[in-house]
Structure formats: C-alpha cells, structure tokens
Amino acid sequence: MKTETSELKIKASAKYINMSPHKIRRVTDRIRGRSYEQALMVLEFMPYHACNRMLQLLCSAAANASHNFGLSKNDSFVSQIQVDEGTSLKRFQPRAQGRAYPIRKPTCHVTIMMEITTK
C-alpha cells in the first residue's frame, strides 16, 4: 500500500550577523535534524551568545510555516542549516609608537530550511 506524503520546505534566512561563522556553526550542528520543539529546548539551554540569533531565526521559520502555508509548526523539523561567511568589517586599533593594527570583524549569513511532512 502506497501512502502519499508531500514534503513542504520552509525557508528563513538572516544576513550580516555580526558574529563569526565558526561560532554560529558550533550551535547549528546541535540542532540540525531535530524537530522544532527539540531545537527550541536545545537553544534555550545552551550557554552561547549565538543561540539567541538562532532562536530568532528558528522562530521566524516556524512563523513562515504557519503564516504562509497555514501549517502547524509542531510537525516540522530542521532539515538543513547553511552558514556562509559574509563580508568582514575592517577596523584599526592604535598600537605602540603610532602604528595601526588591522582588525577584522567577521559577519555571516545563515539560511535554515525546515520540512513538514504531511500525509
């Protein structure tokens, strides 16, 4: 017997987050493949600053699912998370004897894809 299932993909993205991609990936690796509720629990109790930004993005993807498609966000799970490096802000720090020391402030772009399996 063949049951028909259709998978809807919901996308949300955040660009130019003022944080290193390495720090964001440390958090995203923990929630990839989890359900929406499990991902919320993990993000709320992790001690990293990146969790706040990822929590906002996850809630945005869930809001897209309920607003655009009229679906329950509790039936969804995180299928893909992509963290890309953005542009770096270039700044200078004054150092000894009038020298300037370059500082790079990295940014990143995060895209989250959630899937909802409907029967």
Side-chain angles (χ1 to χ4, degrees), residues 43-57:
L43 288 175
E44 285 179 6
F45 293 110
M46 284 180 73
Y48 303 120
H49 181 67
C51 293
N52 296 331
R53 301 294 285 188
M54 289 308 302
L55 189 63
Q56 287 179 339
L57 188 59

Side-chain angles (χ1 to χ4, degrees), residues 41-99:
M41 297 266 296
V42 168
L43 288 175
E44 285 179 6
F45 293 110
M46 284 180 73
Y48 303 120
H49 181 67
C51 293
N52 296 331
R53 301 294 285 188
M54 289 308 302
L55 189 63
Q56 287 179 339
L57 188 59
L58 186 67
C59 290
S60 174
N64 287 345
S66 63
H67 183 265
N68 296 344
F69 299 105
L71 299 170
S72 173
K73 54 189 169 188
N74 296 330
D75 300 331
S76 62
F77 68 96
V78 179
S79 62
Q80 288 180 335
I81 300 177
Q82 184 176 0
V83 181
D84 296 325
E85 187 175 338
T87 59
S88 292
L89 300 175
K90 293 170 179 71
R91 301 289 183 258
F92 290 100
Q93 176 77 28
R95 298 304 290 249
Q97 298 179 357
R99 292 183 173 92

